[in-house]
Amino acid sequence: MSTADLPVRVVPVDSRAQLKAFIELPWSIYRDDPNWVPPLKSDVRTAFDPEKHPFHQHSEAQPFLALRGERPVGRICAIRNRNHEAFHEEPTGFFGWFEGIEDPRVSAALFDRVSEWLRERGLTTMRGPTSFSTNETTGFFLDGDDGPPVLMMAYNPRYYPGLVEEYGFEKAMDLFAYQLQMFELPAPLARAAAAIERRLGVRIRKIRMSDFESELATVRRLYNLAWEKNWGFVPMTDAEFDFMASELKPIINPNLVLFAEDAAGEPIGFCLGLPDFNQVLIRMNGRLFPFGVFKALWYRRGVKFMRVPLLGVVPAYQGKGVDVLLYGGIIREGTAAGFCNAEQSWILETNEKMNAIMTTRLGARVYRRYRVYDCPL
């Protein structure tokens, strides 16, 4: 009997050896894919360490491996996000960290096991992929331009959406990624921005790294205010926000962290641009040590692409043009820092105002699309 004819077994990951296999499985899936960006193995290990990752303080995650004989052929994680359940008042569970060979029998076995795990906890919908929430990497890459993904964006073989749809998943939401050429704001938009600045008394300033903890608290408050009405949003706990900030701080360019303040100096909006560190990680093969850290420091000098993952305005100032001021600021500062292109991502397909700004005012285009799926249990 060939390996392909062996039955699929799905086992919970509950040992160091199984976690190692879980972490290393993608290297076999993407072995011949030049666009895949290997994650840092230490980061994945940390994500599943209850003592290190703050998600486990309030919720549950159970990784699983699919085996044929002793060969790992797929993986997945069942996720119960209690904060999502409380915030949205819905019994929705999640799956994430999915990888697998192109075989519906493998993916079906994995989804069956997650379905069982979620139903045991009283949940009625399985949504994904997320890892562990929409505040992190979300969705399957559905279609768009070829090439490596940017920092914290999904990447997968093109057959993954077909596997989930064959199982019975349906579209829950599409997420858009826009490509933006770095340039000076068009004259009409620059004039409009100046008028908005005068009328509202709003000014744009950079982050004060010398007062990082206080600035981080401001970002946390703005984030939970500005995004709270978005589909799928879950407020981040203080511990989660601090954890993410500590992960991103080494690659932050202070010129690309901008606040909008009203006439009284009160922060009302926030924008974050990040150098696309994936251009460095793609050369690291999942390791920074013992010598990869020096390579990373060398390669980061050549990064000319950035991602804008966060741009938001508090509800009282939404629809008044403050977002235009922030976009103008990030374009100006990004160009001055030597970035040639940027990705704004992700934006919900239902966010008509933001999509209109990107296409009609900034001349950006949707160059990649991602999808989140739902399956009733």
Side-chain angles (χ1 to χ4, degrees), residues 15 23 34 62 76 135 193 235 298 302 315 348 363 368 370:
S15 71
I23 292 171
Q62 175 59 61
I76 202 167
N135 294 313
W298 173 261
L348 295 169
R368 287 175 181 164
Y370 302 81

Side-chain angles (χ1 to χ4, degrees), residues 206 253-258 271-275 306 330 333-334 337 339:
K206 302 173 187 176
N253 181 331
N255 294 323
L256 303 178
V257 186
L258 305 178
C271 181
L272 171 65
L274 291 172
M306 73 173 185
I330 204 70
E333 296 297 337
F339 292 96

Side-chain angles (χ1 to χ4, degrees), residues 255-326:
N255 294 323
L256 303 178
V257 186
L258 305 178
F259 293 91
E261 295 182 336
D262 64 16
E266 180 69 19
I268 57 171
F270 169 72
C271 181
L272 171 65
L274 291 172
D276 180 22
F277 200 65
N278 271 10
Q279 295 182 30
V280 176
L281 290 180
I282 200 170
R283 303 169 183 266
M284 298 292 103
N285 197 33
R287 297 183 183 276
L288 274 182
F289 300 100
F291 304 113
V293 66
F294 301 111
K295 290 166 126 182
L297 292 172
W298 173 261
Y299 287 128
R300 71 182 295 172
R301 304 187 310 168
V303 175
K304 300 299 180 185
F305 195 96
M306 73 173 185
R307 180 187 173 206
V308 182
L310 297 176
L311 189 150
V313 179
V314 299
Y317 279 86
Q318 290 175 3
K320 296 184 178 181
V322 177
D323 43 12
V324 174
L325 296 179
L326 287 166

